Amino acid sequence: MRLAGKVALISGGARGQGAAEARLFVQEGAAVVIGDILDDEGMQLEAEIRELGGQATFVHLDVTDADQWADAVTEAVNRYGKLDILVNNAGIGSTNIGGVNAPRIHEAPAEVWDQIMDVNGKGVFLGSRAAIPAMRTAGGGSIVNISSIAGLVGLGPGSGAGSAYASSKGAVRLLTKATAVQYAGENIRCNSVHPGFIDTAMTARTMADPEQRQRRIDATPIGRIGTVDDIANGVLFLASDEASFMTGSELVIDGGYTAQ
Ligand code: NAP
């Protein structure tokens, strides 16, 4: 029970990595508020966790909306008494909004830039801004921001990460460090996680092409695509008190991709 007595809020928690984190956090003793724009999937996950005897609540949360963030934090505090952990997990790539996969700059519409930055960048800022007052009241907390390998190195055409996505994930990496130094004195830690190529709905369309999938496997020294559980285990560690001397750091979970 590595999160016994903790209360967590996970954005984009209805499916993919966020859902894996919600399930794992509950197994480790946390109560979890799942925020997402996918209401049906979120309510199904809430029901699944409750049927197994866990504590979970779904709230509709569009991470670009400051009022919905305020409501999600209020829900956590009213229902479970406090907020200890925030996972800023929600994110989109260009394919989520019907765009070309990983466009280069000269091909990328400005509105796609705005939408991706809004969700992946501003969404993390708004989430942290909403959660930090509750964490200060609780006497501390842990924020885990999901960035990407695309927030560490430039990925070429065909990699799945376009210019807006890379820029947004780079912003998440440094917002994490700013948050870490601003709140270290108040026992609030903030770290980023950098997944490599992971099988989720976000990447399903690309991964369905055997050639594209194999190219990603070949580029990953460990020789496979990552799973949502590979990421959830790292997020769990950073969320827990086991990581109490870690803040502003980057946990890279990429099968060795960025080690090359
Ligand atoms: P996913 O299965 O698509 O999960 C992301 C979730 O966030 C979805 O439920 C999505 O809903 C939701 N979401 C999108 N926009 C939102 C908004 N405005 N407000 C609230 N929720 C929103 O993808 P994933 O792979 O688990 O992604 C999780 C995180 O990992 C993202 O930040 C992603 O950038 C990052 N990441 C993924 C990979 C990878 O290879 N999969 C690699 C590196 C980093 P919709 O489906 O409706 O958009």
Side-chain angles (χ1 to χ4, degrees), residues 242 251 259:
E242 293 161 21
L251 183 56

Side-chain angles (χ1 to χ4, degrees), residues 15 17 36 38 61-63 89 147 165 169 196 198 200 203:
R15 72 177 193 192
Q17 296 173 39
D36 206 302
L38 298 177
L61 170 64
D62 179 340
V63 294
N89 164 76
S147 176
Y165 186 81
K169 292 302 186 180
I198 310 299
T200 64
T203 53

Side-chain angles (χ1 to χ4, degrees), residues 8-99:
L9 169 58
I10 303 174
S11 74
R15 72 177 193 192
Q17 296 173 39
E21 288 147 18
R23 291 187 179 98
L24 184 60
F25 281 21
V26 169
Q27 276 172 34
E28 294 294 338
V32 175
V33 175
I34 301 154
D36 206 302
I37 51 176
L38 298 177
D39 295 337
D40 290 346
E41 289 87 340
M43 285 188 288
Q44 274 169 29
L45 181 58
E46 174 194 279
E48 175 201 310
I49 291 173
R50 286 186 182 180
E51 271 166 33
L52 295 170
Q55 289 183 288
T57 301
F58 173 73
V59 294
H60 180 86
L61 170 64
D62 179 340
V63 294
T64 65
D65 186 320
D67 292 338
Q68 291 183 22
W69 268 116
D71 291 346
V73 171
T74 299
E75 181 69 22
V77 172
N78 286 349
R79 191 172 282 263
Y80 300 119
K82 59 178 179 162
L83 181 64
D84 304 295
I85 298 161
L86 169 66
V87 184
N88 278 309
N89 164 76
I92 57 170
S94 46
T95 48
N96 294 87
I97 45 182

